[in-house]
Amino acid sequence: MDWKTKIDTKRLPRHIAVIMDGNGRWAKEQGKPRVFGHRSGVKSVREITEAAAELGVEYLTLYAFSTENWSRPKLEVSALMRLLVETVYQETNTLMENNIRLRAIGEIDKLPKATCQALLEGIEKTKANTGTTLVLALNYSGKWDITQATRHLAAEVAAGRLRSEDITDSHVAAALSTQGMPDPELLIRTSGEARISNFLLWQLAYAELYFSPVFWPDFRKANFYQAIVDFQHRERRFGKISEQIV
Ligand code: FPP
């Protein structure tokens, strides 16, 4: 099936978020170490980013490392961090060629120095690009994001710049790490798991959830297109009834 031709490019989700899952199990199936799965996963990162840019999706957010991932074996964590550095350096030119702007969300300053630096350099180099924004969620968790936003708003109130009774959901949205970005309309999770796993908890309020059985290293452009086609067949009601949707 040629899923790409079935996409209505006038009704694309503005923001797609992805939980890239199944690298470890994919590697195990081939009798290889988990890190081999992560390395192979980078190819899917490249393909999906390219697909999003070609289609004109405004924001693509990838869950690359969660706060909870620190509890993995030390060797796996350090291999993932190295892989991130390598990938960001290797791919910066491709990002430039495709007019893609890099952005990161999460506690970036608590990442190993080299990882943090690679990211900041990539963000700086690509900051004037005007196409798709590729957002890497790194050392990220949804609860952390809401907590840091709460802390920020509490400080504003304490400083007398904001009255607590004036706080609206726009203030919260503006204090989150995704500030300025539209909420994801589509969340894709690979590998058959059907959980949100502390990802963009506030931002996913109205997202359509799409769970694919495919492990991340096997998730390629066609799978991505299929997810978008599925999204476009859903009726998004936002609490209204069918007849109210035009
Ligand atoms: C989940 O698979 C994957 C991760 C925790 C890391 C994702 C990282 C990459 C694809 C590589 C680098 C990324 C970028 C953005 C350059 P898993 O290990 O949880 O798989 P399992 O559930 O089968 O164990």
Side-chain angles (χ1 to χ4, degrees), residues 18-245:
V18 185
I19 302 180
M20 309 179 286
D21 198 8
N23 293 350
R25 278 163 288 161
W26 182 88
K28 198 172 175 194
E29 265 187 9
Q30 339 236 331
K32 298 268 174 52
R34 296 178 54 82
V35 175
F36 181 73
H38 297 316
R39 286 204 164 271
S40 306
V42 172
K43 291 190 200 119
S44 304
V45 169
R46 198 178 297 129
E47 275 217 8
I48 300 318
T49 306
E50 197 180 275
E54 282 167 5
L55 285 171
V57 174
E58 290 175 58
Y59 292 88
L60 175 70
T61 300
L62 304 179
Y63 206 2
F65 194 84
S66 73
T67 313
E68 290 81 9
N69 285 151
W70 291 112
S71 56
R72 292 191 172 200
K74 247 182 147 165
L75 270 176
E76 183 175 342
V77 171
S78 56
L80 265 170
M81 291 299 153
R82 272 199 309 277
L83 189 57
L84 275 160
V85 176
E86 253 176 53
T87 310
V88 172
Y89 282 132
Q90 266 166 23
E91 301 297 328
T92 306
N93 286 341
T94 323
L95 295 179
M96 293 307 292
E97 282 157 23
N98 290 286
N99 195 20
I100 297 168
R101 183 169 53 159
L102 185 65
R103 181 167 164 176
I105 54 171
E107 280 190 286
I108 303 304
D109 51 351
K110 298 226 172 86
L111 291 168
K113 229 173 155 188
T115 313
C116 183
Q117 193 170 332
L119 273 170
L120 295 178
E121 280 180 30
I123 292 168
E124 181 61 29
K125 277 194 188 138
T126 60
K127 71 176 183 201
N129 289 346
T130 53
T132 299
T133 300
L134 170 65
V135 186
L136 297 183
L138 279 158
N139 199 13
Y140 180 87
S141 86
K143 287 190 178 182
W144 162 80
D145 206 356
I146 293 170
T147 306
Q148 68 78 27
T150 308
R151 221 180 275 134
H152 171 77
L153 292 175
E156 289 294 291
V157 172
R161 287 191 289 267
L162 182 66
R163 295 190 316 169
S164 59
E165 58 271 37
D166 290 338
I167 296 175
T168 61
D169 61 357
S170 312
H171 289 93
V172 180
L176 291 167
S177 61
T178 46
Q179 165 234 330
M181 292 163 48
D183 284 343
E185 286 154 87
L186 170 63
L187 170 78
I188 300 172
R189 182 172 188 150
T190 60
S191 93
E193 307 288 347
R195 289 187 293 276
I196 292 181
S197 296
N198 208 355
F199 195 23
L200 302 158
L201 296 179
W202 168 283
Q203 298 88 336
L204 288 172
Y206 287 105
E208 295 294 331
L209 310 181
Y210 180 86
F211 300 109
S212 163
V214 175
F215 290 147
W216 178 250
D218 284 333
F219 194 86
R220 294 307 165 90
K221 283 188 178 178
N223 307 92
F224 185 66
Y225 298 144
Q226 187 180 2
I228 296 175
V229 171
D230 186 278
F231 165 85
Q232 292 185 329
H233 283 118
R234 298 190 194 185
E235 182 184 65
R236 308 193 73 217
R237 287 198 296 274
F238 303 99
K240 297 179 183 169
I241 64 166
S242 283
E243 289 70 22
Q244 292 174 299
I245 316 285

